[in-house]
Amino acid sequence: MNLPPAALAAMLGNTLQAASPDFQVLPENWDTVMAFIECRHDWRRELPAFGTEWIWHGLDKPACECIIRNLGHKEDKAREIFQGILIMQEAALPLLNKGKKSNGR
């Protein structure tokens, strides 16, 4: 997911230990986690002209919707997965942008 291991551990809380790449996913969350992983290349970000670190803005939502459809999920399940991805994105953004000044986006 292009996340540093410590950021992923912090995002997932106690379900992931920093020294271990393994973590448990509840069965009811499996489809959402797999879709989130498939969206790993669809983050919107920018490298400011005078900056040295990326500013992460969030996932490309139309790309995520396309991925969910291509995974074969239909209507209600697709909406549930999309909402779960948005929750995961909101948990990831503060970690990805840790220590960076907000640029108003």
Side-chain angles (χ1 to χ4, degrees):
M1 293 188 309
N2 296 328
L3 291 174
L8 182 59
M11 182 176 80
L12 296 173
N14 293 331
T15 62
L16 177 65
Q17 297 195 6
S20 171
D22 300 326
F23 59 94
Q24 291 184 329
V25 176
L26 296 174
E28 60 268 24
N29 296 328
W30 185 256
D31 291 335
T32 301
V33 171
M34 292 298 101
F36 184 74
I37 290 170
E38 287 297 319
C39 294
R40 69 189 175 276
H41 299 292
D42 296 305
W43 285 90
R44 291 184 180 209
R45 60 188 181 163
E46 69 175 295
L47 188 59
F50 298 105
T52 58
E53 294 186 45
W54 288 104
I55 296 175
W56 300 78
H57 298 293
L59 288 163
D60 182 297
K61 291 172 184 64
C64 291
E65 289 176 321
C66 181
I67 287 168
I68 293 167
R69 277 195 315 274
N70 285 330
L71 289 173
H73 299 292
K74 306 287 187 218
E75 301 192 31
D76 286 345
K77 183 66 175 176
R79 274 193 291 278
E80 177 186 323
I81 291 171
F82 186 73
Q83 291 303 312
I85 287 173
L86 294 180
I87 291 168
M88 294 174 79
Q89 169 193 263
E90 290 306 309
L93 281 172
L95 299 168
L96 293 168
N97 290 313
K98 191 171 186 150
K100 299 174 192 159
K101 294 181 181 178
S102 173
N103 66 352
R105 289 190 189 184

